C-alpha cells in the first residue's frame, strides 16, 4: 500500500500496526480515530483522497476544522456538537453533506456516525468516526418520492375520472330505461292482441321486442355496475326455496333444450331455503344457464346440483358438456368486459360473469370455475344459508313465481319465406348478427332474391360460385371480417359486382379508403329501410346498365356504333328514365366518371362543352382546360376537313351517326389513335342540337397491329396474317404433339401410382418423359420466336437417330389412334450434322403429322410411314418422309409451299411454309418428291459442315 512498507526485520507489534494501517486504508469509506477532545489521531486513505488532504495536515487538529466540513460554519458547528455528544459516551449518527470527491472539489452525502470507544475502566478513550457514501441512494430515494407523488396524483385523477365514468354510465343507463320501457310496452300490447296479425308483422314485432329487451339488459348491467361501484347496491333478503327458483328459471330454457336435444337435469337437494335477494339470485342463475346453453353442442348435457355444506352454507353447481374454458382465460373470466377468443364468446358485452361475481360477493358468497369431469365447464356458487345478523329478511312467499322471458323470444327467428322471382336481381348479404341478417332479408325480399351468409368466408365462397348482382357486407364479422372480404373479392377478379358496406364504424379514413379502392357505397348503422332500398336500387341499376353496355361493347356486329344507334333509337325510354337519373345522380355520375370510354358533348363548331375524366386523360387536358377545345382542330391535319364535313352532315340531318378510326393530337403533341362514334342529340333547349361523341382508345390495338405487321414482314413469302390469333394457333399446332405426349405419360404415371403396389420405377420413367416433352415444347416455342425474329441459328451437333426416335415416341399415342405404322431406314455411319435440333425436329414433326392426318380416314389400304436418312454426294444428308396416303391433288402441287395453302379443311397452311424457311435457313432445300405414285413423299437435304 502507498505510504506503508512491510520490512522483514519489523518486530511483530510493528508489523501488526502496519497491517492494520493497510486494512484501514483499503476500506472504501470514511474511517478514522479521534481523541476525547475531537483531535484527529488517524484517518483512512480513502477519506483523505476524497477531501484532497494529507494525513499530516489533519493529525492533531480539531476534526471539525478539516476540509470535509468546510461547506459552511453550520456544518462545522454540527460536527463539533456531535463530537462533544459522543465524548459523553453516546453513539451519534446523521446524514450530512461533505466535500468527499474530486479531491475536495465535489460534495457527497454520507451516512456519518461517531462511536465512543471505552477503556477497561469504562471511560471514553477514543471516538471512531465512520461515513458511508449514500449520494446515489439519496438521489434514488428522491426520484422514487417524486415518482410516487406523480403516481398518487395520477391515481387520484384516475379515481376522479372513474367516478365521472360511473356517474355517466348511471345517468345514461337511467335515461335509456324510459324510452326502452315505452318501446317494450306498446310492442307487448301489440303482440298480445295479434291474433289475426300476419306472420311477417309478428316477426317484425318479435325482432323489435327481442332487441329492445337485449338493449334493456345491457342498460341494466351498466346501471347495476355503476351502483355496485358506488356502493349503492342493497340486498333485499327473502327466505326462498332456491331449488324452486333455479327450476323456474330452467323452465324458460325448456323449448331451446328440446329443439337442440340438450338434456337438462337436476341433482341433490329437492328443497333448500336460503336468505337471498331473489331478483339478484335469479340474475345469477339465468346468466349461468344462458352461458351453458350457448356453449353446449346439440345433443349435449347440462346439470344443476344443490348440496348443503358445513357451516350453514349451500353449493350450487351448473355443469355443461361444451368445450370448456381454456386455461389462459380462466384467470380473467370474471373480469369486467372479458370475452373469449372464439366466435360465440365474442358475441356479448363481457359483463355477464362479472355481474354474477359481484352479486355473489354481495351475498357474502364465492363463485369458482372448474373443469367438468367429462369435459366442459363447471361453475360453482357457494352461499351462506342465513343473512347477516341484524338484516331484515322477509317471510317466504310460496305463491310467488319468477317472470323469465322464454328463451325462444331471446333467439332470432328466420324471417317468413316469401315467393322468389327468378327474374329479380340477386343480393348476397354477409352479416354475423342474426337479427340484422333477417331484418335485411325482410327489407329486400320483396324486390330481390336474397342470399344470407354469416361471415366473410362463407360469403366469399358463395360469391365465387355464383356472382350476385350486389353484395351487402358488415365490417366486423368472425372468421373473415368485411374489410378482408372485399379485398379478397377484388383479388379474385370479382370486380364487376358492386359492394355496399353496412357498418357501425363511423371511421372516415376507412370509409374513404374503401370507397376509393374497393366498394361502391358505405352506409353507417343505424339506417332507414327506405334509404337502404334506394341505395340498393341505384347500385343494381348501375350494375345492370354496365352489363348491358359491356355486352354491347363486346358484340362483334357494330361495336360502339350499334350501341350509339341503340341509345338514339331508344331516346324516349332514356328521357322517361331521366327522373330516375336525377334522383340517383351519384349512380350515373359514377358511371360517367369511371368508364374507360371517353364521352364528350360538342356544339355545332365541334367545341367540347363537357368531357368525362377518361377523355380528359386520353387527350392530356384538365377538367377546365378541355372545355372549348375543338375536336376538329385537334384532329390530324389531313383529317380536319373530313371531320368538319362529318359534323355538318350530322347537324343538317343528312346522317344519324357515323363511326370511324382517326388520330387526335394530344396536349403534349403526341397522337391518340381512337375509334370515334358520333351521334346527334335532338334539340332539347334553345341552343340547338348537340353531338354526342364516344371515343375508344385504340392505342394498344394499334401497337398490337404494328407488332403484327412487323412479324408479317419478317415471315418468308407470307403475304399477310389477318390477326395475331392465327400466329398463336400456328405455334400451338407445332407444340400440340409434345403436349399430347405429356398427357399420355402423365396418365400412365397416374395408372402406375393407382395400383395396389405402385411401380415407382415406371412412374419415374413416365415423369422423365413428361419433363423431356415439356422441355421440347418450350424449346419449340423459343425457336419459333427466334425464327420469326430471324435470330441466328443455334448450331450444335445433331444426334439424328436420337432426334427421330424422340419424335416417334412423342407421336406414339397419335400413331396408335390413327393405326399408322412407322418404318425407320437410317443409314449407318451417318456424317456429323450441325444445326438447330429443335427447328429440325419441328420440320420432321410437321411432315409426320401431315402424313398421319392424310391417312386418318383412309380405308382398304395399310397406313404406313417410311422415314429414311442417308448420305448424299450431291447435298450432304438426305431426309425423306413417305406415306401411303392419297397423295397431293395435282392442282395443289405447285402451291403446296405457299402460305395458307392446305389440303386439310381445318388447316392453316403455315406448316410447310415455315418448314421450308427453316430448311433454307440451314442452307438446304425442301421439296415434294413426286416419283412415288402410291402416296406422298417429302424430301429435304442439309449440308454437312462445321458449326
Amino acid at each position: 500500500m502507498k505510504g506503508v512498507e512491510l520490512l522483514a526485520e519489523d518486530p511483530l507489534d510493528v508489523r501488526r500496526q502496519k497491517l492494520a494501517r493497510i486494512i484501514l486504508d483499503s476500506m472504501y469509506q470514511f474511517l478514522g480515530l479521534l481523541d476525547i477532545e475531537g483531535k484527529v489521531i488517524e484517518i483512512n486513505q480513502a477519506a483523505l483522497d476524497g477531501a484532497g488532504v494529507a494525513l499530516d495536515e489533519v493529525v492533531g487538529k480539531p476534526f471539525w476544522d478539516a476540509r470535509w466540513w468546510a461547506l459552511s460554519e453550520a456544518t462545522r458547528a454540527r460536527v463539533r456538537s456531535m463530537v462533544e455528544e459522543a465524548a459523553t459516551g453516546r453513539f451519534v449518527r446523521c446524514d450530512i453533506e461533505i466535500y468527499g470527491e474530486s479531491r475536495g472539489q465535489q460534495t457527497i452525502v454520507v451516512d456519518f456516525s461517531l462511536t465512543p470507544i471505552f477503556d477497561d475502566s469504562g471511560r471514553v478513550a477514543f471516538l471512531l468516526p465512520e461515513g458511508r457514501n449514500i449520494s446515489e441512494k439519496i438521489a434514488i430515494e428522491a426520484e422514487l418520492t417524486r415518482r410516487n407523488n406523480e403516481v398518487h396524483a395520477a391515481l387520484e385523477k384516475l379515481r376522479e375520472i372513474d367516478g365521472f365514468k360511473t356517474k355517466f354510465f348511471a345517468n345514461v343507463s337511467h335515461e335509456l330505461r324510459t324510452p326502452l320501457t315505452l318501446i317494450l310496452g306498446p310492442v307487448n300490447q301489440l303482440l298480445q292482441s295479434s291474433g289475426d296479425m300476419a306472420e311477417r308483422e309478428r316477426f317484425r314485432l318479435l325482432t323489435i321486442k327481442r332487441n329492445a329487451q337485449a338493449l334493456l339488459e345491457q342498460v341494466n348491467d351498466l346501471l347495476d355496475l355503476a351502483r355496485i361501484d358506488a356502493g349503492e347496491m342493497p340486498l333485499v333478503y327473502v327466505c326462498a326455496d332456491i331449488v324452486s327458483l333455479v327450476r323456474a328459471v330452467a323452465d324458460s330454457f325448456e323449448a331451446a333444450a328440446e329443439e337442440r336435444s340438450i338434456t337438462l337435469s337436476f341433482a341433490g337437494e329437492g328443497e333448500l331455503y336460503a336468505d337471498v335477494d331473489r331478483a339478484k339470485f335469479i340474475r345469477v342463475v339465468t346468466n349461468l344457464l344462458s352461458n351453458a346453453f350457448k356453449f353446449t353442442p346439440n345433443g349435449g348435457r347440462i346439470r344443476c346440483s344443490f348440496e348443503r355444506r358445513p357451516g350453514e352454507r349451500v353449493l350450487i353447481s351448473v355443469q355443461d358438456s361444451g368445450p370448456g374454458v381454456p386455461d389462459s382465460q380462466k384467470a380473467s373470466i370474471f373480469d369486467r368486459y372479458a370475452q373469449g377468443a372464439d366466435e360465440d364468446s365474442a358475441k356479448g358485452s363481457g359483463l355477464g360473469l362479472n355481474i354474477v361475481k359481484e352479486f355473489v360477493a354481495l351475498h357474502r358468497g364465492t363463485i369458482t370455475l372448474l373443469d367438468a369431469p367429462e369435459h366442459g365447464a363447471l361453475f360453482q356458487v357457494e352461499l351462506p344459508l342465513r343473512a347477516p345478523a341484524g338484516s331484515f329478511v322477509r317471510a317466504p312467499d310460496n305463491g310467488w313465481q319468477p317472470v323469465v322471458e322464454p328463451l325462444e323470444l331471446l333467439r332470432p327467428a328466420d324471417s317468413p319465406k316469401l315467393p322468389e322471382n327468378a327474374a329479380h336481381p340477386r343480393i348476397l348479404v354477409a352479416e354475423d348478427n342474426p337479427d340484422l341478417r333477417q331484418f335485411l332479408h325482410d327489407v329486400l325480399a320483396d324486390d330481390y332474391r336474397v342470399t344470407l351468409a354469416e361471415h366473410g368466408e362463407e360469403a366469399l365462397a358463395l360469391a365465387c360460385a355464383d356472382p350476385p348482382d350486389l353484395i351487402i357486407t358488415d365490417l366486423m364479422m368472425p372468421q373473415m371480417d368485411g374489410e378482408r372480404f372485399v379485398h379478397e373479392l377484388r383479388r379474385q377478379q370479382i370486380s364487376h359486382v358492386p359492394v355496399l358496406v353496412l357498418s357501425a364504424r363511423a371511421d372516415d379514413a376507412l370509409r374513404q379508403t374503401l370507397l376509393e379502392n374497393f366498394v361502391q357505397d358505405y352506409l353507417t348503422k343505424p339506417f332507414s329501410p327506405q334509404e337502404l332500398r334506394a341505395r340498393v336500387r341505384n347500385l343494381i341499376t348501375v350494375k345492370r346498365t354496365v352489363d348491358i353496355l359491356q355486352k354491347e361493347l363486346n358484340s362483334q356486329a357494330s361495336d360502339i356504333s350499334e350501341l350509339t344507334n341503340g341509345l338514339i333509337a331508344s331516346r324516349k325510354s332514356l328521357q322517361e328514365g331521366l327522373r330516375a337519373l336525377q334522383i340517383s345522380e351519384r349512380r350515373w355520375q359514377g358511371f360517367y366518371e369511371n368508364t374507360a370510354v371517353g364521352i364528350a358533348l360538342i356544339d355545332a363548331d365541334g367545341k367540347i362543352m363537357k368531357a368525362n375524366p377518361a377523355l380528359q386523360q386520353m387527350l392530356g387536358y384538365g377538367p377546365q382546360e378541355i372545355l372549348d377545345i375543338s375536336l376538329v382542330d385537334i384532329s390530324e391535319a389531313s383529317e380536319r376537313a373530313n371531320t368538319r364535313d362529318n359534323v355538318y352532315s350530322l347537324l343538317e340531318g343528312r346522317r344519324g351517326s357515323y363511326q370511324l378510326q382517326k388520330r387526335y393530337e394530344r396536349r403534349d403533341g403526341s397522337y391518340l389513335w381512337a375509334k370515334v362514334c358520333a351521334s346527334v342529340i335532338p334539340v332539347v333547349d334553345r341552343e340547338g342540337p348537340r353531338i354526342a361523341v364516344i371515343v375508344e382508345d385504340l392505342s394498344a390495338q394499334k401497337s398490337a397491329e404494328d407488332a403484327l405487321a412487323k412479324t408479317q414482314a419478317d415471315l418468308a413469302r407470307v403475304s399477310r396474317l389477318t390477326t395475331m390469333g392465327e400466329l398463336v394457333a400456328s405455334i400451338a399446332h407445332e407444340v400440340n404433339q409434345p403436349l399430347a405426349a405429356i398427357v399420355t405419360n402423365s396418365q400412365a404415371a397416374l395408372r402406375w401410382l393407382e395400383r395396389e403396389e405402385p411401380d415407382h420405377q415406371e412412374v419415374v420413367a413416365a415423369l422423365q418423359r413428361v419433363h423431356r416433352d415439356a422441355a421440347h415444347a418450350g424449346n419449340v416455342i423459343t425457336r419459333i420466336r427466334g425464327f420469326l425474329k430471324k435470330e441466328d441459328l443455334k448450331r450444335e451437333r445433331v444426334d439424328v437417330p436420337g432426334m427421330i426416335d424422340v419424335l416417334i415416341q412423342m407421336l406414339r399415342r397419335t400413331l396408335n389412334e390413327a393405326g399408322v405404322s412407322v418404318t425407320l431406314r437410317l443409314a449407318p455411319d451417318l456424317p456429323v450434322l450441325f444445326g438447330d435440333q429443335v427447328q429440325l425436329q419441328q420440320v420432321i414433326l410437321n411432315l409426320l403429322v401431315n402424313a398421319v392426318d392424310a391417312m386418318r380416314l383412309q380405308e382398304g389400304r395399310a397406313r404406313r410411314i417410311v422415314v429414311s436418312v442417308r448420305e448424299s454426294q450431291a447435298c450432304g444428308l438426305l431426309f425423306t418422309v413417305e406415306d401411303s396416303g392419297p397423295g397431293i391433288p395435282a392442282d395443289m402441287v405447285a402451291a403446296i409451299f405457299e402460305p395458307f395453302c392446305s389440303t386439310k379443311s381445318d388447316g392453316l397452311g403455315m406448316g410447310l411454309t415455315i418448314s421450308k424457311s427453316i430448311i433454307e435457313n440451314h442452307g438446304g432445300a425442301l421439296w415434294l418428291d413426286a416419283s412415288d405414285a402410291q402416296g406422298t413423299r417429302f424430301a429435304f437435304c442439309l449440308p454437312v459442315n462445321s458449326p
Side-chain angles (χ1 to χ4, degrees), residues 250-277:
D251 286 343
S252 66
F253 293 85
E254 183 178 353
E258 182 177 352
E259 178 184 343
R260 296 173 55 193
S261 300
I262 293 176
T263 302
L264 179 58
S265 62
F266 298 88
E269 300 287 339
E271 184 179 75
L272 192 58
Y273 281 87
D275 298 337
V276 294
D277 184 313

Short mmCIF file of all heavy atoms in Angstrom, two decimals, residues 250-277:
data_model
loop_
_atom_site.label_atom_id
_atom_site.label_comp_id
_atom_site.label_asym_id
_atom_site.label_seq_id
_atom_site.Cartn_x
_atom_site.Cartn_y
_atom_site.Cartn_z
N ALA A 250 -84.96 -22.52 -15.15
CA ALA A 250 -84.64 -23.54 -16.15
C ALA A 250 -85.82 -23.84 -17.06
O ALA A 250 -85.64 -24.24 -18.22
CB ALA A 250 -84.17 -24.81 -15.45
N ASP A 251 -87.05 -23.64 -16.53
CA ASP A 251 -88.22 -23.89 -17.36
C ASP A 251 -88.24 -23.00 -18.60
O ASP A 251 -88.79 -23.38 -19.64
CB ASP A 251 -89.50 -23.66 -16.54
CG ASP A 251 -89.74 -24.80 -15.55
OD1 ASP A 251 -89.11 -25.86 -15.73
OD2 ASP A 251 -90.52 -24.61 -14.59
N SER A 252 -87.69 -21.77 -18.50
CA SER A 252 -87.68 -20.87 -19.66
C SER A 252 -86.76 -21.37 -20.76
O SER A 252 -86.82 -20.89 -21.90
CB SER A 252 -87.25 -19.47 -19.22
OG SER A 252 -85.91 -19.47 -18.78
N PHE A 253 -85.88 -22.33 -20.44
CA PHE A 253 -84.96 -22.89 -21.43
C PHE A 253 -85.48 -24.22 -21.99
O PHE A 253 -84.77 -24.87 -22.75
CB PHE A 253 -83.58 -23.11 -20.80
CG PHE A 253 -82.86 -21.87 -20.42
CD1 PHE A 253 -83.09 -21.24 -19.21
CD2 PHE A 253 -81.95 -21.29 -21.28
CE1 PHE A 253 -82.43 -20.10 -18.85
CE2 PHE A 253 -81.27 -20.13 -20.94
CZ PHE A 253 -81.52 -19.53 -19.72
N GLU A 254 -86.67 -24.60 -21.61
CA GLU A 254 -87.17 -25.91 -21.99
C GLU A 254 -87.30 -26.06 -23.50
O GLU A 254 -86.91 -27.08 -24.09
CB GLU A 254 -88.53 -26.15 -21.32
CG GLU A 254 -89.11 -27.54 -21.60
CD GLU A 254 -90.43 -27.76 -20.88
OE1 GLU A 254 -90.82 -26.90 -20.06
OE2 GLU A 254 -91.06 -28.79 -21.13
N ALA A 255 -87.88 -25.03 -24.15
CA ALA A 255 -88.07 -25.12 -25.60
C ALA A 255 -86.72 -25.22 -26.32
O ALA A 255 -86.56 -25.99 -27.27
CB ALA A 255 -88.85 -23.92 -26.11
N ALA A 256 -85.74 -24.43 -25.87
CA ALA A 256 -84.42 -24.48 -26.51
C ALA A 256 -83.77 -25.83 -26.29
O ALA A 256 -83.12 -26.39 -27.18
CB ALA A 256 -83.53 -23.38 -25.94
N ALA A 257 -83.94 -26.40 -25.08
CA ALA A 257 -83.36 -27.71 -24.81
C ALA A 257 -83.98 -28.78 -25.70
O ALA A 257 -83.28 -29.66 -26.23
CB ALA A 257 -83.56 -28.06 -23.34
N GLU A 258 -85.30 -28.71 -25.89
CA GLU A 258 -85.98 -29.70 -26.73
C GLU A 258 -85.57 -29.55 -28.19
O GLU A 258 -85.33 -30.54 -28.89
CB GLU A 258 -87.48 -29.54 -26.58
CG GLU A 258 -88.30 -30.55 -27.38
CD GLU A 258 -89.79 -30.38 -27.15
OE1 GLU A 258 -90.17 -29.59 -26.26
OE2 GLU A 258 -90.56 -31.04 -27.86
N GLU A 259 -85.47 -28.31 -28.65
CA GLU A 259 -85.11 -28.07 -30.05
C GLU A 259 -83.70 -28.56 -30.36
O GLU A 259 -83.44 -29.10 -31.43
CB GLU A 259 -85.21 -26.57 -30.34
CG GLU A 259 -84.81 -26.18 -31.76
CD GLU A 259 -84.83 -24.68 -31.97
OE1 GLU A 259 -85.46 -23.97 -31.14
OE2 GLU A 259 -84.23 -24.21 -32.94
N ARG A 260 -82.78 -28.42 -29.40
CA ARG A 260 -81.38 -28.79 -29.64
C ARG A 260 -81.02 -30.14 -29.01
O ARG A 260 -79.85 -30.50 -28.98
CB ARG A 260 -80.47 -27.70 -29.08
CG ARG A 260 -80.63 -26.35 -29.77
CD ARG A 260 -79.84 -25.26 -29.10
NE ARG A 260 -78.44 -25.63 -28.98
CZ ARG A 260 -77.57 -24.98 -28.20
NH1 ARG A 260 -77.98 -23.95 -27.48
NH2 ARG A 260 -76.31 -25.37 -28.13
N SER A 261 -82.02 -30.85 -28.52
CA SER A 261 -81.81 -32.19 -27.93
C SER A 261 -80.80 -32.13 -26.79
O SER A 261 -79.94 -33.02 -26.65
CB SER A 261 -81.35 -33.18 -29.01
OG SER A 261 -82.31 -33.28 -30.04
N ILE A 262 -80.87 -31.10 -25.98
CA ILE A 262 -79.99 -30.96 -24.82
C ILE A 262 -80.70 -31.50 -23.58
O ILE A 262 -81.85 -31.15 -23.31
CB ILE A 262 -79.59 -29.49 -24.62
CG1 ILE A 262 -78.71 -29.01 -25.78
CG2 ILE A 262 -78.84 -29.31 -23.30
CD1 ILE A 262 -78.34 -27.55 -25.71
N THR A 263 -80.01 -32.33 -22.84
CA THR A 263 -80.57 -32.90 -21.61
C THR A 263 -80.27 -31.98 -20.44
O THR A 263 -79.10 -31.71 -20.13
CB THR A 263 -79.97 -34.30 -21.35
OG1 THR A 263 -80.23 -35.15 -22.47
CG2 THR A 263 -80.57 -34.91 -20.10
N LEU A 264 -81.33 -31.48 -19.79
CA LEU A 264 -81.19 -30.59 -18.63
C LEU A 264 -81.66 -31.36 -17.40
O LEU A 264 -82.83 -31.73 -17.28
CB LEU A 264 -82.03 -29.32 -18.82
CG LEU A 264 -82.00 -28.30 -17.70
CD1 LEU A 264 -80.58 -27.83 -17.42
CD2 LEU A 264 -82.88 -27.10 -18.04
N SER A 265 -80.75 -31.64 -16.46
CA SER A 265 -81.07 -32.47 -15.31
C SER A 265 -80.73 -31.75 -14.01
O SER A 265 -79.98 -30.77 -14.00
CB SER A 265 -80.31 -33.79 -15.38
OG SER A 265 -78.90 -33.56 -15.36
N PHE A 266 -81.31 -32.27 -12.87
CA PHE A 266 -81.09 -31.69 -11.55
C PHE A 266 -80.69 -32.82 -10.60
O PHE A 266 -81.11 -33.98 -10.74
CB PHE A 266 -82.37 -31.01 -11.04
CG PHE A 266 -82.81 -29.87 -11.92
CD1 PHE A 266 -83.65 -30.10 -13.01
CD2 PHE A 266 -82.39 -28.59 -11.67
CE1 PHE A 266 -84.06 -29.06 -13.82
CE2 PHE A 266 -82.80 -27.54 -12.47
CZ PHE A 266 -83.62 -27.77 -13.55
N ALA A 267 -79.88 -32.48 -9.61
CA ALA A 267 -79.41 -33.47 -8.64
C ALA A 267 -79.27 -32.80 -7.28
O ALA A 267 -79.17 -31.58 -7.17
CB ALA A 267 -78.09 -34.08 -9.10
N GLY A 268 -79.25 -33.61 -6.24
CA GLY A 268 -79.04 -33.08 -4.89
C GLY A 268 -80.34 -32.80 -4.18
O GLY A 268 -81.35 -33.49 -4.36
N GLU A 269 -80.32 -31.77 -3.34
CA GLU A 269 -81.46 -31.43 -2.51
C GLU A 269 -82.69 -31.12 -3.35
O GLU A 269 -82.61 -30.47 -4.39
CB GLU A 269 -81.12 -30.21 -1.64
CG GLU A 269 -79.93 -30.42 -0.71
CD GLU A 269 -80.27 -31.32 0.45
OE1 GLU A 269 -81.47 -31.45 0.76
OE2 GLU A 269 -79.34 -31.91 1.04
N GLY A 270 -83.88 -31.58 -2.84
CA GLY A 270 -85.12 -31.29 -3.54
C GLY A 270 -85.76 -30.00 -3.06
O GLY A 270 -86.60 -29.42 -3.76
N GLU A 271 -85.36 -29.53 -1.89
CA GLU A 271 -85.90 -28.29 -1.34
C GLU A 271 -84.85 -27.71 -0.41
O GLU A 271 -84.30 -28.42 0.44
CB GLU A 271 -87.21 -28.56 -0.59
CG GLU A 271 -87.89 -27.31 -0.06
CD GLU A 271 -89.18 -27.63 0.66
OE1 GLU A 271 -89.10 -28.14 1.82
OE2 GLU A 271 -90.25 -27.41 0.08
N LEU A 272 -84.57 -26.42 -0.59
CA LEU A 272 -83.49 -25.81 0.20
C LEU A 272 -83.78 -24.32 0.34
O LEU A 272 -83.73 -23.57 -0.64
CB LEU A 272 -82.14 -26.03 -0.51
CG LEU A 272 -80.88 -25.72 0.29
CD1 LEU A 272 -80.85 -26.54 1.58
CD2 LEU A 272 -79.65 -26.03 -0.55
N TYR A 273 -84.10 -23.91 1.60
CA TYR A 273 -84.43 -22.50 1.83
C TYR A 273 -83.18 -21.74 2.26
O TYR A 273 -82.38 -22.22 3.08
CB TYR A 273 -85.52 -22.38 2.91
CG TYR A 273 -86.90 -22.67 2.36
CD1 TYR A 273 -87.40 -23.98 2.31
CD2 TYR A 273 -87.68 -21.63 1.87
CE1 TYR A 273 -88.65 -24.25 1.79
CE2 TYR A 273 -88.95 -21.89 1.35
CZ TYR A 273 -89.43 -23.18 1.32
OH TYR A 273 -90.66 -23.44 0.80
N ALA A 274 -83.04 -20.55 1.66
CA ALA A 274 -81.90 -19.70 1.98
C ALA A 274 -82.35 -18.25 1.92
O ALA A 274 -83.32 -17.91 1.23
CB ALA A 274 -80.75 -19.95 1.02
N ASP A 275 -81.63 -17.38 2.65
CA ASP A 275 -81.92 -15.96 2.63
C ASP A 275 -81.14 -15.34 1.47
O ASP A 275 -79.89 -15.27 1.50
CB ASP A 275 -81.50 -15.30 3.94
CG ASP A 275 -82.25 -15.86 5.13
OD1 ASP A 275 -83.35 -16.40 4.91
OD2 ASP A 275 -81.73 -15.76 6.26
N VAL A 276 -81.86 -14.92 0.41
CA VAL A 276 -81.21 -14.36 -0.78
C VAL A 276 -82.01 -13.15 -1.26
O VAL A 276 -83.18 -12.99 -0.90
CB VAL A 276 -81.11 -15.39 -1.92
CG1 VAL A 276 -80.19 -16.53 -1.56
CG2 VAL A 276 -82.49 -15.91 -2.31
N ASP A 277 -81.35 -12.32 -2.04
CA ASP A 277 -82.05 -11.29 -2.80
C ASP A 277 -82.58 -12.00 -4.04
O ASP A 277 -81.82 -12.37 -4.94
CB ASP A 277 -81.11 -10.14 -3.16
CG ASP A 277 -81.82 -9.00 -3.87
OD1 ASP A 277 -82.60 -9.27 -4.81
OD2 ASP A 277 -81.58 -7.84 -3.50
#
